[in-house]
Amino acid sequence: MLALPGVYAPQHDTHLLMRAVGRELADPCKRVLELGTGSGALAVHAARLGARVTAVDISRRAVLCAGLNAALHRRRITVRYRDLSTLDRGGYDLVISNPPYVPAPAALPPVRGKARTWDGGLDGRAVVDQVCMTAATVLGSGGTLLMVHSAMCRVDITIDALHSLGFDTQVIDRELVPLGPVMRSRLLRLRDRGLMDDEQQDKEELVVFRARRRRLSSGFRRLAKATRRTGAGPAAARSYEEHVEADAVREQVVRHEVVEPLLATEPGPEIDVAFGIHATGLLEDRLCEFLPAGRRTDRSALRIPLATAAQPQGRP
């Protein structure tokens, strides 16, 4: 597999994820998205198994490299220069990612240079967390995320983050591998920060996650079917399902990307946030009581019924 200078070459984590992709693609007719394709090794592997593959990367050199490897291996892959934050909803069946996860001295990953192929911020999770959020946006209901990262990035945090985003997650593979030159150069710093034990001299544990997006609840499915029965058609039902899924993702984005950072950095807003949550719940409960009661009594849910509102004011 060709790897241009500055592009992440396939290593232990790549091959570990390849095994998981091979197991997942027993059904070849799947739409696959690779986030951070690098050399394109995983994308080419998925295409070889019969999947329809789109691969994205923030590095133009990686995009070029992945395209070259697809041509060299005679596989049809759509390769795009994209940042994860710019990806639209795609309805993919499978997302695969081997993101940068090495804990680094800087809080944010570098924007250029070879180090951005492995540096993942202070705790190694800067890109890992973004992959989780992106997968929740681009995967269809029942879709699957396959991702690999070092155990130093905290397996429990990844599982909890994916659970909050609507995924059922499990660890499907683990492997102890020799430390690479970057990890070895940062060994003392990693130990000082408690990310590695003193006993860990020359190995790290790689972990592969399989996260399956929860399907719509039975209530939502019944409402989607109702749109078809009323003659709205399959496009309307699909639009309804997509909006329900998008609302669930937005709710988690607000919780983890807005509320949590606010509470962590600003003193004193806890009472206001709690009040807002309870007030929203109260209004939703009142609305749920009001609307069915109106239907049972043949009463309009509008404060001013349409027939009344249509009459000119001041006339009998």
Side-chain angles (χ1 to χ4, degrees):
M1 187 68 61
L2 173 67
L4 298 176
V7 175
Y8 188 77
Q11 298 184 36
H12 294 287
D13 45 12
T14 311
H15 298 297
L16 196 61
L17 194 53
M18 273 186 180
R19 293 204 309 238
V21 171
R23 292 190 295 266
E24 194 69 32
L25 289 179
D27 175 12
C29 297
K30 289 187 176 181
R31 293 185 62 204
V32 176
L33 173 66
E34 185 184 8
L35 302 176
T37 188
S39 68
L42 288 165
V44 169
H45 180 62
R48 186 182 294 121
L49 295 172
R52 293 170 291 163
V53 183
T54 299
V56 300
D57 204 291
I58 198 173
S59 164
R60 294 186 186 278
R61 190 173 298 187
V63 170
L64 172 62
C65 186
L68 289 173
N69 280 319
L72 288 172
H73 291 81
R74 298 183 180 180
R75 299 295 168 183
R76 181 174 294 180
I77 297 172
T78 301
V79 187
R80 295 174 178 167
Y81 171 72
R82 291 283 180 86
D83 182 89
L84 298 187
S85 62
T86 65
L87 292 175
D88 298 324
R89 177 182 176 82
Y92 290 95
D93 304 304
L94 177 65
V95 169
I96 55 180
S97 185
N98 178 14
Y101 54 74
V102 177
L108 297 176
V111 297
R112 60 179 60 87
K114 191 173 183 179
R116 74 173 175 176
T117 67
W118 58 69
D119 276 0
L122 287 174
D123 56 3
R125 298 197 58 86
V127 185
V128 169
D129 289 335
Q130 195 174 5
V131 166
C132 295
M133 298 294 297
T134 301
T137 301
V138 301
L139 278 171
S141 179
T144 301
L145 165 67
L146 293 176
M147 179 174 63
V148 61
H149 68 61
S150 172
M152 279 187 289
C153 300
R154 296 281 303 274
V155 172
D156 58 325
I157 292 180
T158 297
I159 291 176
D160 289 345
L162 288 168
H163 177 78
S164 70
L165 290 168
F167 288 91
D168 294 319
T169 308
Q170 58 183 342
V171 173
I172 60 172
D173 210 348
R174 295 176 181 263
E175 188 171 302
L176 283 173
V177 301
L179 292 177
V182 177
M183 285 288 198
R184 285 198 300 270
S185 69
R186 299 176 181 176
L187 192 56
L188 292 177
R189 182 181 288 111
L190 293 173
R191 286 176 180 165
D192 289 342
R193 295 177 53 200
L195 297 176
M196 290 191 73
D197 298 331
D198 291 338
E199 299 177 356
Q200 291 178 277
Q201 298 292 334
D202 58 354
K203 291 183 182 295
E204 67 168 323
E205 185 181 35
L206 298 178
V207 184
V208 178
F209 300 86
R210 182 183 187 272
R212 185 172 177 81
R213 183 102 184 265
R214 297 189 197 103
R215 296 186 181 277
L216 290 175
S217 68
S218 58
F220 286 134
R221 287 198 297 270
R222 286 196 297 271
L223 287 172
K225 290 180 180 178
T227 62
R228 296 187 180 94
R229 289 199 303 271
T230 57
R238 179 58 184 164
S239 176
Y240 173 81
E241 292 171 355
E242 290 182 354
H243 282 298
V244 168
E245 292 177 1
D247 286 344
V249 172
R250 282 193 290 269
E251 178 183 337
Q252 299 304 324
V253 170
V254 170
R255 178 185 300 178
H256 294 285
E257 299 296 319
V258 178
V259 176
E260 287 183 2
L262 175 67
L263 296 179
T265 58
E266 297 289 337
E270 294 89 347
I271 295 177
D272 294 332
V273 170
F275 175 80
I277 293 173
H278 286 291
T280 301
L282 175 64
L283 290 175
E284 289 180 347
D285 291 342
R286 293 286 299 274
L287 186 62
C288 289
E289 294 172 1
F290 179 74
L291 292 179
R295 293 192 193 99
R296 288 192 295 269
T297 59
D298 198 26
R299 185 189 72 226
S300 172
L302 301 176
R303 294 183 62 186
I304 302 177
L306 293 178
T308 304
Q311 295 179 0
Q313 295 295 321
R315 296 184 182 181

